[in-house]
Amino acid sequence: MTENEGVVRPRPAATVMLLRPVTDAAGASGGRPMEVLLMRRVPSMGFAPGAYVFPGGRVDERDADGDLPWTGPAPEEWSRILGVDVPMARALVCAAVRETFEETGVLLASEPEHASDTAITLDTDTDEWERDRLGLIDRSRSFTEVLSRRGLVLRSEWLRAWSRWITPAREPRRYDTWFFTAELPPGQRPRDVGGEADHTQWVDPAVVAPEWDAGRMPMLPPTVIACAELAGHRTLEGVRDAQRDIVPLEPEVREMDGHLRVVAPDGTDFPLPKPNTRT
């Protein structure tokens, strides 16, 4: 048997750390303290049941559609940033925006004439938008169709690449996931609409690791680490100015003191999440 025989090939995926400023608060340096959106997956999910996650999911083949209306960095620039070919770069950016809309109702898009104006309100809390959201989920509609019909463009400049994590090789379900950050567009608000989560909340990223350590917020190691990294930058402005190198990070699974632990590249270890149970 070869070393890689039986190892599941990871599927490409994208997830978005949706951020918003804390109302009527200012950081020590004058920046705006922030909160990040976390969703708790329902216990019946096959992957990470009961865990707190960011909105996101796997890439769909139609996410690479070259006709998708788009502003901001071109797919060629995203290819350089993400370290993938152009079709995959286009698909990852599309998947990040599409999945965020499917799971929260928040849409990182606008009319093209407002492409230089971030102060835009887009109301997606209507019956027509809900039909489109459900059509995206059951794949009866494409994201290109949904945006083009309304004369909207995907705002790729509202996304920022943050990191890339690959599920450990021993796991039966594996994903190669690119993490992005994005600020909540003015006038929009997330809704509990996706069906994959039973609870959604805004959280100070600085409290996530202590809550996880106390057993009150079960989550996968990359989520804990990403929140700690956000907390290290303290404000929305700090996140915007962060310099990030997008390299694949694949934790190891080791037996430690009779228990399986996930060991991150920096040496931090976490308990191995158990499938189909709350931890």
Side-chain angles (χ1 to χ4, degrees):
M1 179 181 293
T2 64
E3 182 180 353
N4 293 323
E5 187 174 346
V7 174
V8 177
R9 183 177 180 179
R11 304 181 67 172
T15 190
V16 175
M17 297 182 285
L18 200 60
L19 305 172
R20 73 175 185 182
V22 177
T23 305
D24 299 328
S29 61
R32 293 171 296 167
M34 61 191 165
E35 297 174 314
V36 64
L37 187 71
L38 286 172
M39 308 167 61
R40 187 177 64 197
R41 291 167 68 84
V42 296
S44 60
M45 296 298 294
F47 183 78
Y52 282 86
V53 298
F54 307 118
R58 63 177 181 263
V59 169
D60 183 87
E61 61 182 14
R62 292 187 294 182
D63 289 333
D65 185 355
D67 293 328
L68 178 69
W70 181 299
T71 66
E76 289 77 11
E77 176 64 12
W78 280 107
S79 172
R80 183 191 65 78
I81 294 170
L82 301 176
V84 295
D85 61 27
V86 172
M88 179 55 70
R90 181 186 291 111
L92 287 167
V93 170
C94 178
V97 176
R98 175 183 56 75
E99 286 282 347
T100 299
F101 175 62
E102 288 181 13
E103 296 189 352
T104 71
V106 171
L107 183 60
L108 302 174
S110 76
E111 297 177 0
E113 57 266 31
H114 295 142
S116 61
D117 180 8
T118 58
I120 296 172
T121 298
L122 186 64
D123 183 12
T124 63
D125 191 5
T126 67
D127 290 342
E128 185 179 0
W129 270 112
E130 182 63 9
R131 286 191 292 270
D132 277 345
R133 191 188 66 82
L134 294 174
L136 290 171
I137 291 174
D138 67 19
R139 300 300 183 255
S140 63
R141 304 180 187 185
S142 72
F143 202 48
T144 297
E145 172 192 349
V146 169
L147 293 187
S148 297
R149 177 159 37 83
R150 290 181 170 83
L152 301 177
V153 294
L154 180 150
R155 298 290 296 271
S156 85
E157 66 270 38
W158 287 357
L159 288 170
R160 178 178 178 80
W162 191 260
S163 58
R164 176 184 176 185
W165 287 87
I166 302 175
T167 310
R170 68 180 296 155
E171 291 298 293
R173 292 174 182 261
R174 301 187 68 213
Y175 297 94
D176 187 351
T177 305
W178 279 258
F179 286 60
F180 298 84
T181 64
E183 295 177 30
L184 181 69
Q188 295 196 45
R189 61 183 179 85
R191 296 177 284 124
D192 293 325
V193 293
E196 295 183 358
D198 59 12
H199 179 63
T200 300
Q201 68 182 94
W202 290 100
V203 183
D204 177 351
V207 308
V208 169
E211 288 293 290
W212 170 86
D213 192 52
R216 291 187 288 267
M217 292 189 77
M219 62 186 67
L220 299 175
T223 311
V224 182
I225 293 171
C227 286
E229 291 174 338
L230 291 176
H233 292 286
R234 302 172 60 186
T235 64
L236 287 174
E237 290 78 8
V239 170
R240 289 179 194 166
D241 294 339
Q243 300 298 311
R244 305 292 299 179
D245 292 322
I246 309 304
V247 296
L249 303 171
E250 183 175 343
E252 297 180 27
V253 177
R254 302 177 189 168
E255 184 172 343
M256 305 171 67
D257 299 324
H259 300 281
L260 293 178
R261 308 280 293 186
V262 177
V263 182
D266 66 356
T268 306
D269 64 272
F270 303 80
L272 182 69
K274 298 178 181 179
N276 300 319
T277 63
R278 285 185 183 271
T279 54

